[in-house]
Amino acid sequence: MLSILGIAGAGTPALACSIGSGIPEDDLAEGYRQSSHVFVARLIRYRKVAPPAGGTYMRVEADYELVEAIKGRPAAHGVLFESDPYSPLPGHAPGPACGPWLVHGENVGTLALVMADDDGAVDARHLRVRPFSRRLSAPEQGMDEGLEIILRLHEQSASPKTR
C-alpha cells in the first residue's frame, strides 16, 4: 500500500457537482464506505459506447491498468464506465450535470483514485465509477490529500479494534 505514496501527486479539482457535503474528508469517507473497490489505476483508453438496452444516455468507458488495490479486488486490467448526460439519445433531455466525470479523453494516461462498484450486467472486469473518484496529478507535486484520507480510512478499517 505504501508504494502508492510515491506515485500519487496533488489532485485536481472535480467539475462542479451538486452531490456531497462539500467537506472532502466526509465525502471521501462516504465514497470509500459505499464502494466495493477502491484503487489507484492508470487510465489507458477512452471511448463512447451506446447505452445498454433501455438506457437513455451514452456511456463513456476507459480501460485501466491497476496500480495498487486499496479495497476490494479489482481486476489487473478492466473497464471503468459512467453515463454521459451530455449525450442523451434523441428525444431525451440532458440529465443533471452531476457525477465523478473521471472517464473522459483528457484523463487518458493519468493516474486516478477510483471508487467503483461491480456491474453485474456485464462482467467482473467492468466497474461503475462512483462519486468522489478523482484524477491524481504528477508524483513530483507531492502526496494527494484525498489519497492520504483514503489510505488513513483503509488502515483504520483494517486494523483490529482495541479497547
Side-chain angles (χ1 to χ4, degrees):
M1 178 123 13
L2 293 177
S3 65
I4 59 179
L5 295 177
I7 60 170
T12 57
L15 297 176
C17 188
S18 62
I19 61 169
S21 67
I23 302 169
E25 294 83 4
D26 292 347
D27 293 340
L28 287 168
E30 187 65 19
Y32 175 86
R33 281 191 293 275
Q34 290 184 3
S35 299
S36 301
H37 306 281
V38 179
F39 57 100
V40 174
R42 181 168 309 281
L43 306 180
I44 54 175
R45 267 184 287 293
Y46 165 82
R47 64 194 161 275
K48 280 190 181 187
V49 298
T56 56
Y57 298 103
M58 294 296 285
R59 199 157 107 164
V60 287
E61 296 182 346
D63 295 339
Y64 73 85
E65 295 174 337
L66 180 66
V67 173
E68 184 84 28
I70 298 170
K71 177 184 176 185
R73 301 184 95 177
H77 297 276
V79 178
L80 301 173
F81 68 89
E82 304 176 303
S83 292
D84 180 6
Y86 296 110
S87 301
L89 294 178
H92 296 276
C98 185
W101 311 138
L102 177 64
V103 179
H104 55 82
E106 293 175 15
N107 282 343
V108 169
T110 64
L111 290 176
L113 172 60
V114 179
M115 291 178 252
D117 289 319
D118 297 312
D119 181 45
V122 181
D123 63 45
R125 290 187 54 242
H126 284 71
L127 300 174
R128 179 181 302 277
V129 177
R130 294 191 53 83
F132 312 115
S133 296
R134 55 192 280 158
R135 184 171 94 176
L136 300 174
S137 56
E140 60 272 6
Q141 294 180 356
M143 179 63 169
D144 180 78
E145 180 182 356
L147 182 57
E148 284 184 285
I149 292 168
I150 291 294
L151 290 173
R152 192 167 53 246
L153 286 167
H154 182 68
E155 285 185 15
Q156 290 171 357
S157 69
S159 64
K161 306 280 187 227
T162 58
R163 293 185 181 215

